[in-house]
């Protein structure tokens, strides 16, 4: 793709929401330690693959801007009642 779109596309994303695997441990309260460890290993592999893609892109066109999209989440309680506030999940 880097070769095919050279001169046409300048900005590239290697992975969409690369950090989403880390968010699962906060959303799934009973996630096993093995599953969490596997998610960290998968994230490491994503980072390595992303770094290799960046290197490849820059070897084809040094003007390419290459990065990752990160996931973010925001939540609000239904009312202003203090008991509805989300506490630290860790």
């Amino acid at each position: 793709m880097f070769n095919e779109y050279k001169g046409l596309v300048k900005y590239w994303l290697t992975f969409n929401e690369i950090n989403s695997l880390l968010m699962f441990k906060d959303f799934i309260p009973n996630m096993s330690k093995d599953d969490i460890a596997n998610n960290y290993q998968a994230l490491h592999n994503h980072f390595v693959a992303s770094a290799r893609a960046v290197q490849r892109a820059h070897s084809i066109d040094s003007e390419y801007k290459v990065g990752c999209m990160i996931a973010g989440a925001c939540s609000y309680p239904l009312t202003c009642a203090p008991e509805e506030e989300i506490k630290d999940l860790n």
Side-chain angles (χ1 to χ4, degrees), residues 2 9-13 54 57-58 61-67:
F2 294 135
V9 176
K10 181 178 180 179
Y11 299 97
W12 296 87
L13 291 176
V54 170
H58 288 162
D61 186 339
S62 63
E63 296 297 312
Y64 278 156
K65 306 295 182 195
V66 188

Side-chain angles (χ1 to χ4, degrees), residues 14-74:
T14 58
F15 286 92
N16 186 41
E17 298 184 345
I18 196 166
N19 63 324
S20 61
L21 289 173
L22 290 181
M23 299 172 85
F24 287 128
K25 69 180 181 57
D26 293 332
F27 297 133
I28 304 172
N30 297 323
M31 193 171 191
S32 73
K33 291 184 186 276
D34 285 342
D35 286 340
I36 292 171
N38 288 337
N39 282 355
Y40 275 105
Q41 182 62 54
L43 182 60
H44 168 79
N45 294 339
H46 282 114
F47 284 144
V48 171
S50 181
R52 288 181 177 174
V54 170
Q55 287 177 328
R56 177 74 175 158
H58 288 162
S59 74
I60 293 169
D61 186 339
S62 63
E63 296 297 312
Y64 278 156
K65 306 295 182 195
V66 188
C68 302
M69 175 67 74
I70 60 169
C74 185

